[in-house]
Amino acid sequence: MNKPLRIALTKGRLEKDTVGLFEKLGYDCTSVHEKGRKLILPVPDGNLEVVLAKANDVITYVEHGVCDLGVVGKDTIMEMNGKFFELIDLGFGKCKFALAAKKGCDFYSGFGVKTIATKYPNVARTFFESKGMDVEIVKIEGSVELAPLLELSDGIVDIVETGTTLKENGLEVVEDICSISARFIVNTVSLKMRHEEIEELVKRIKECL
Ligand code: PRP
């Protein structure tokens, strides 16, 4: 038998739905449920090895070919812009990128350069460039919603899922940027070298969605 295909899954938000998908495909994911502190988890009946990682690292591992496959949000793909193939929109992990600001603030009024706080500076830059609007971008790692409340920024570019975080902090969506969902990605060399196995897995996933 070939060595296992190694797949990097994003920890956190997408984890439950991703493991659910692999179980729906018929794989025994006990090792993932009972992972403890173990980092490489075998799924022997699928000849797979699962690595659970942070979203940015999923892309890094797949780009470098140390993982053949990955499941990661379109948000991270748009921000990191790596070299890999995006094969399937998995349809879960649905949310959107949006520009948000304090409720009723009339974001686009005035002539001064606006300051935007975000965890996604590339996405924010591309969005405002498409409008021909000059903005100052401040990278924030944690709860970006804090930035306008602390008067650090005029607005934020962030993920909105239920809208609860915005609402509970007196913010509102100014403009939707784009929809986001989880994607199945593959290393470019793996797709060539292990084409049949990957094609078969892709086919099975598509039938399952
Ligand atoms: C994201 C995002 C918002 C929140 C939006 O953060 O940055 O803060 O979710 O979700 P809502 O519209 O359902 O309220 P996340 O919870 O992923 O945590 P993070 O700050 O660690 O990215």
Side-chain angles (χ1 to χ4, degrees):
M1 202 194 301
N2 278 334
K3 68 173 181 158
L5 277 174
R6 192 176 286 157
I7 178 161
L9 307 185
T10 304
K11 284 198 274 199
R13 264 172 199 258
L14 299 181
E15 193 173 325
K16 207 170 145 229
D17 283 335
T18 312
V19 175
L21 170 67
F22 279 89
E23 283 178 330
K24 228 166 122 188
L25 289 170
Y27 298 134
D28 177 4
C29 295
T30 311
S31 66
V32 183
H33 290 295
E34 297 173 358
K35 59 183 177 290
R37 303 291 295 170
K38 213 168 165 221
L39 297 171
I40 301 183
L41 311 163
V43 179
D45 56 352
N47 197 27
L48 293 172
E49 247 173 21
V50 168
V51 171
L52 284 170
K54 285 196 169 182
N56 288 1
D57 296 342
V58 167
I59 290 191
T60 303
Y61 295 147
V62 172
E63 248 195 311
H64 285 78
V66 294
C67 291
D68 305 290
L69 309 160
V71 173
V72 67
K74 183 70 179 177
D75 52 325
T76 312
I77 294 176
M78 285 172 70
E79 181 61 23
M80 287 193 56
N81 223 350
K83 196 169 159 277
F84 49 81
F85 294 123
E86 189 185 311
L87 294 187
I88 314 174
D89 180 347
L90 296 170
F92 57 78
K94 279 194 173 146
C95 51
K96 63 184 179 186
F97 268 130
L99 166 65
K102 278 190 189 163
K103 212 166 173 206
C105 82
D106 198 4
F107 177 84
Y108 286 115
S109 70
F111 295 103
V113 171
K114 308 277 186 207
T115 303
I116 302 297
T118 185
K119 272 180 266 185
Y120 302 89
N122 293 328
V123 172
R125 197 170 299 112
T126 307
F127 173 67
F128 284 105
E129 270 173 13
S130 77
K131 293 181 163 296
M133 202 173 146
D134 195 18
V135 295
E136 188 191 335
I137 293 172
V138 182
K139 171 106 196 277
I140 297 286
E141 294 295 336
S143 301
V144 181
E145 293 84 356
L146 252 182
L149 304 182
L150 300 177
E151 312 278 342
L152 173 67
S153 74
D154 300 293
I156 61 172
V157 166
D158 199 20
I159 286 171
V160 178
E161 189 180 357
T162 61
T164 312
T165 314
L166 292 181
K167 202 167 164 212
E168 291 193 358
N169 291 288
L171 305 172
E172 66 182 359
V173 170
V174 173
E175 200 173 327
D176 288 347
I177 298 178
C178 65
S179 308
I180 293 167
S181 55
R183 305 297 159 104
F184 188 75
I185 63 172
V186 59
N187 172 268
T188 50
V189 176
S190 298
L191 188 59
K192 280 202 195 99
M193 304 301 286
R194 306 192 63 175
H195 193 259
E196 269 179 36
E197 286 162 275
I198 292 174
E199 277 293 295
E200 175 61 24
L201 184 58
V202 165
K203 190 169 148 251
R204 290 185 59 195
I205 292 174
K206 283 184 175 162
E207 282 167 5
C208 217
L209 295 176

